[in-house]
Amino acid sequence: MGYKNMSVETSLKYQQDFFEHFAAAWADQSTYRIYQGIDNTAANLRLDPHDVPGYILAYDKQAEQELMTFLQQHLVSWLRDHIPFFDVTDDGRVFFGDWYHRRQFGRLDVINRTILHQTDDQRAIMPQLYDFADHQATYLDDQLEDMRRNVYQQATDLHNQLETLEADQAGDSEASTGGRVASNAASSSANNGSGLRGLLRNFIDPDEPDGDAPEEQPVRPARQPQRRGNGLDINRIRRQFDQAKAAADKAFDSQKRQLQVAAAVTNYEYQAVTKEYDTVADFANVLTSMADDYMQALKADEGGQHNA
C-alpha cells in the first residue's frame, strides 16, 4: 500500500507500524526483515534504495554506518560461499581469484545486494570472458594482430608513400631515358637521309645544285614527363618511416608483454568460472540473480531459526 492512498491517520499508523517492525528486526538482528523494510520503503515512497537508511534513521550518519556495517558483514560472508572463486574483502571489494595479477571485479552494493563495476577495466572483464570462451585457441594471437596493426599504422602509411614516390621516380627516369633515345634516333635518321639523297643527286646529275633539295625540318626532342616526386621527398619520407618503424618496434615489444599477461589472467578467470559453472553465460546469470538468491538464502535462514 502506497502513501498516495492514505489519510493522515492511516499514514501515521503505517509509519508507526513500520518503525516498530524495523526496530524489532534490528533487535533480532534479522538481516532478511531489515532488507524487507528497506525494499518496501523504497517502493512505497519511490525513493532510491540508497536513500532509505537515512530516511529510516533520521539521517544520523553514525546510525547509518552501523547499519551498513552490519548488512555488509552478512553479505560478504554469504558471497564468499556463493561464488567461491571470488576473494571478497571485509570492506566490500570483490577480486577475481587469489592469483598473481588478479583483477578487481567490482565493489559490493550492500543496499541493492549486487556487485558494481566502477571502472572500464572492471566492466571489460565479462566481455573478455565471453570472447575468450569463443576463441580460446586464437585469443592471444588475435589480440596481438590487432595491436600490431594499430601500432604499425603510421609506419605502414609512410611505407606506402615511400613506395609510391620511388615508383614515380623510377617511371620518370625510364621515360627520360626513352625520350633521349628517341630523339637521338630521329636526329641520326634525318642526317643519314640527307646524306644519302645528296650522294644520289651527285651520282645522277653532278651539275645540279643542291638548292633544289627540300629544306630539312628540325627534329623536336621528345617531351620529358614532369616528375611528381624528387629525391628530397623520398629522403624525407624515408627518414620519417625509419623513425616511425623504430618507435613501433619498441611499442610492440612493450605492449606484447602486457597482452600476454592479460591473456593469462583471463585464462585463469575462465578456468575458475568453468570449474563452477558450465558456461560464462551461466556465471552471468548467477550475478544477475544475486540479490534474489541472497534474499532466498536469508529467508531460508530466518525460517530455520524460527523452527529451531
Side-chain angles (χ1 to χ4, degrees), residues 269-299:
E269 293 167 348
Y270 179 77
Q271 298 303 325
V273 167
T274 53
K275 184 178 179 180
E276 294 292 330
Y277 309 102
D278 290 336
T279 65
V280 175
D282 291 338
F283 171 53
N285 290 335
V286 169
L287 294 174
T288 301
S289 62
M290 178 175 155
D292 291 337
D293 292 342
Y294 183 47
M295 289 300 288
Q296 290 297 322
L298 291 177
K299 183 178 181 180

Coordinates of all heavy atoms in Angstrom, one line a residue, residues 269-299:
E269 N 40.9 -16.7 -15.0 CA 39.5 -16.4 -14.7 C 38.5 -17.3 -15.4 O 37.5 -17.8 -14.7 CB 39.2 -14.9 -15.1 CG 40.0 -13.9 -14.3 CD 39.9 -12.5 -14.9 OE1 39.5 -12.4 -16.0 OE2 40.4 -11.6 -14.2
Y270 N 38.7 -17.6 -16.6 CA 37.9 -18.5 -17.3 C 37.9 -19.9 -16.7 O 36.8 -20.6 -16.6 CB 38.3 -18.6 -18.8 CG 37.4 -19.5 -19.7 CD1 36.2 -19.1 -20.1 CD2 37.9 -20.8 -20.0 CE1 35.4 -20.0 -20.8 CE2 37.2 -21.6 -20.8 CZ 35.9 -21.2 -21.2 OH 35.1 -22.1 -21.9
Q271 N 39.1 -20.4 -16.4 CA 39.2 -21.7 -15.8 C 38.4 -21.8 -14.4 O 37.8 -22.8 -14.1 CB 40.6 -22.1 -15.6 CG 41.4 -22.2 -16.9 CD 40.9 -23.2 -17.9 OE1 40.3 -24.2 -17.5 NE2 41.0 -22.9 -19.1
A272 N 38.5 -20.7 -13.7 CA 37.8 -20.6 -12.4 C 36.3 -20.7 -12.6 O 35.5 -21.3 -11.9 CB 38.2 -19.4 -11.6
V273 N 35.8 -19.9 -13.6 CA 34.4 -19.9 -13.9 C 33.9 -21.2 -14.3 O 32.8 -21.7 -13.8 CB 34.1 -18.8 -15.0 CG1 32.6 -18.9 -15.5 CG2 34.3 -17.4 -14.4
T274 N 34.5 -21.8 -15.3 CA 34.1 -23.1 -15.9 C 34.2 -24.3 -14.9 O 33.7 -25.4 -15.1 CB 34.8 -23.4 -17.2 OG1 36.2 -23.3 -17.0 CG2 34.3 -22.4 -18.2
K275 N 35.0 -24.1 -13.9 CA 35.1 -25.1 -12.8 C 33.9 -25.2 -12.0 O 33.5 -26.2 -11.5 CB 36.3 -24.8 -11.9 CG 36.6 -25.9 -10.9 CD 37.8 -25.6 -10.1 CE 38.1 -26.7 -9.0 NZ 39.3 -26.4 -8.2
E276 N 33.2 -24.0 -11.8 CA 32.0 -23.9 -11.0 C 30.7 -24.0 -11.9 O 29.7 -24.4 -11.4 CB 32.0 -22.6 -10.2 CG 33.1 -22.6 -9.2 CD 32.8 -23.5 -8.0 OE1 31.6 -23.8 -7.7 OE2 33.8 -24.0 -7.4
Y277 N 30.8 -23.4 -13.1 CA 29.6 -23.3 -14.0 C 29.9 -23.9 -15.3 O 31.1 -23.9 -15.7 CB 29.2 -21.8 -14.1 CG 29.0 -21.1 -12.7 CD1 30.0 -20.3 -12.3 CD2 27.9 -21.4 -11.9 CE1 29.9 -19.6 -11.1 CE2 27.8 -20.7 -10.7 CZ 28.8 -19.9 -10.3 OH 28.7 -19.3 -9.0
D278 N 28.9 -24.3 -16.0 CA 29.1 -24.9 -17.4 C 29.6 -23.8 -18.4 O 30.4 -24.2 -19.2 CB 27.8 -25.5 -17.9 CG 27.4 -26.7 -17.1 OD1 28.3 -27.3 -16.5 OD2 26.2 -27.1 -17.0
T279 N 29.1 -22.6 -18.3 CA 29.4 -21.6 -19.3 C 29.6 -20.3 -18.6 O 29.2 -20.1 -17.5 CB 28.3 -21.5 -20.4 OG1 27.1 -21.0 -19.8 CG2 28.1 -22.8 -21.1
V280 N 30.2 -19.3 -19.4 CA 30.3 -18.0 -18.9 C 28.9 -17.4 -18.7 O 28.6 -16.6 -17.8 CB 31.1 -17.1 -19.8 CG1 31.1 -15.6 -19.4 CG2 32.5 -17.6 -19.9
A281 N 28.0 -17.7 -19.6 CA 26.6 -17.2 -19.5 C 25.9 -17.7 -18.2 O 25.1 -16.9 -17.6 CB 25.8 -17.7 -20.7
D282 N 26.2 -18.9 -17.8 CA 25.6 -19.4 -16.5 C 26.2 -18.5 -15.4 O 25.4 -18.2 -14.4 CB 26.0 -20.8 -16.3 CG 25.3 -21.8 -17.3 OD1 24.2 -21.3 -17.8 OD2 25.8 -22.9 -17.5
F283 N 27.4 -18.2 -15.4 CA 28.0 -17.3 -14.4 C 27.4 -15.9 -14.4 O 27.1 -15.4 -13.3 CB 29.5 -17.2 -14.6 CG 30.2 -16.2 -13.8 CD1 30.1 -16.2 -12.4 CD2 31.0 -15.2 -14.4 CE1 30.7 -15.2 -11.6 CE2 31.7 -14.3 -13.6 CZ 31.5 -14.3 -12.2
A284 N 27.1 -15.4 -15.6 CA 26.5 -14.1 -15.7 C 25.1 -14.1 -15.1 O 24.6 -13.2 -14.5 CB 26.4 -13.7 -17.2
N285 N 24.4 -15.2 -15.3 CA 23.0 -15.4 -14.7 C 23.1 -15.4 -13.2 O 22.2 -14.8 -12.5 CB 22.4 -16.7 -15.3 CG 22.0 -16.6 -16.7 OD1 21.8 -15.5 -17.3 ND2 21.9 -17.7 -17.4
V286 N 24.1 -16.0 -12.7 CA 24.3 -16.0 -11.2 C 24.5 -14.6 -10.7 O 23.9 -14.2 -9.6 CB 25.4 -16.9 -10.8 CG1 25.8 -16.8 -9.3 CG2 25.1 -18.4 -11.1
L287 N 25.3 -13.8 -11.4 CA 25.5 -12.4 -11.0 C 24.2 -11.6 -11.1 O 23.9 -10.8 -10.2 CB 26.5 -11.8 -11.9 CG 28.0 -12.3 -11.7 CD1 28.9 -11.7 -12.8 CD2 28.5 -12.1 -10.3
T288 N 23.4 -11.9 -12.1 CA 22.1 -11.2 -12.3 C 21.1 -11.5 -11.2 O 20.4 -10.6 -10.8 CB 21.5 -11.5 -13.7 OG1 22.5 -11.1 -14.7 CG2 20.2 -10.8 -13.9
S289 N 21.1 -12.7 -10.8 CA 20.1 -13.1 -9.8 C 20.7 -13.1 -8.4 O 20.0 -13.6 -7.5 CB 19.7 -14.6 -10.1 OG 20.7 -15.5 -10.0
M290 N 21.8 -12.4 -8.2 CA 22.5 -12.4 -6.9 C 21.6 -11.8 -5.8 O 21.5 -12.4 -4.7 CB 23.7 -11.6 -7.0 CG 24.5 -11.4 -5.7 SD 26.1 -10.5 -6.0 CE 26.4 -9.9 -4.4
A291 N 20.9 -10.7 -6.0 CA 20.0 -10.2 -5.0 C 18.9 -11.1 -4.6 O 18.6 -11.3 -3.4 CB 19.5 -8.8 -5.5
D292 N 18.2 -11.7 -5.6 CA 17.2 -12.6 -5.3 C 17.7 -13.9 -4.6 O 17.0 -14.4 -3.6 CB 16.5 -13.1 -6.6 CG 15.7 -11.9 -7.2 OD1 15.3 -11.0 -6.5 OD2 15.5 -12.0 -8.5
D293 N 18.8 -14.4 -5.0 CA 19.4 -15.6 -4.4 C 19.7 -15.3 -2.9 O 19.5 -16.1 -2.0 CB 20.6 -16.0 -5.1 CG 20.3 -16.6 -6.5 OD1 19.1 -16.9 -6.7 OD2 21.2 -16.7 -7.3
Y294 N 20.3 -14.1 -2.7 CA 20.6 -13.7 -1.3 C 19.4 -13.6 -0.4 O 19.4 -14.1 0.7 CB 21.4 -12.4 -1.3 CG 21.9 -12.0 0.0 CD1 22.6 -12.9 0.9 CD2 21.7 -10.7 0.5 CE1 23.0 -12.5 2.1 CE2 22.2 -10.3 1.7 CZ 22.9 -11.2 2.6 OH 23.3 -10.8 3.8
M295 N 18.3 -13.0 -0.9 CA 17.1 -12.9 -0.1 C 16.5 -14.3 0.1 O 16.0 -14.5 1.2 CB 16.1 -12.0 -0.8 CG 16.5 -10.5 -0.9 SD 16.7 -9.8 0.8 CE 15.0 -9.7 1.3
Q296 N 16.6 -15.2 -0.8 CA 16.1 -16.5 -0.6 C 16.9 -17.2 0.5 O 16.3 -18.0 1.3 CB 16.1 -17.3 -1.9 CG 15.1 -16.9 -3.0 CD 13.7 -17.1 -2.5 OE1 13.3 -18.0 -1.8 NE2 12.8 -16.1 -2.8
A297 N 18.2 -17.0 0.4 CA 19.0 -17.6 1.5 C 18.7 -17.1 2.8 O 18.7 -17.8 3.8 CB 20.5 -17.4 1.1
L298 N 18.5 -15.7 2.9 CA 18.2 -15.1 4.2 C 16.8 -15.6 4.7 O 16.7 -15.8 5.9 CB 18.2 -13.6 4.0 CG 19.5 -12.9 3.8 CD1 19.3 -11.4 3.6 CD2 20.5 -13.2 4.9
K299 N 15.9 -15.7 3.8 CA 14.6 -16.2 4.2 C 14.6 -17.6 4.7 O 14.0 -18.0 5.7 CB 13.6 -16.2 2.9 CG 12.2 -16.5 3.3 CD 11.3 -16.4 2.0 CE 9.9 -16.8 2.3 NZ 9.0 -16.6 1.1

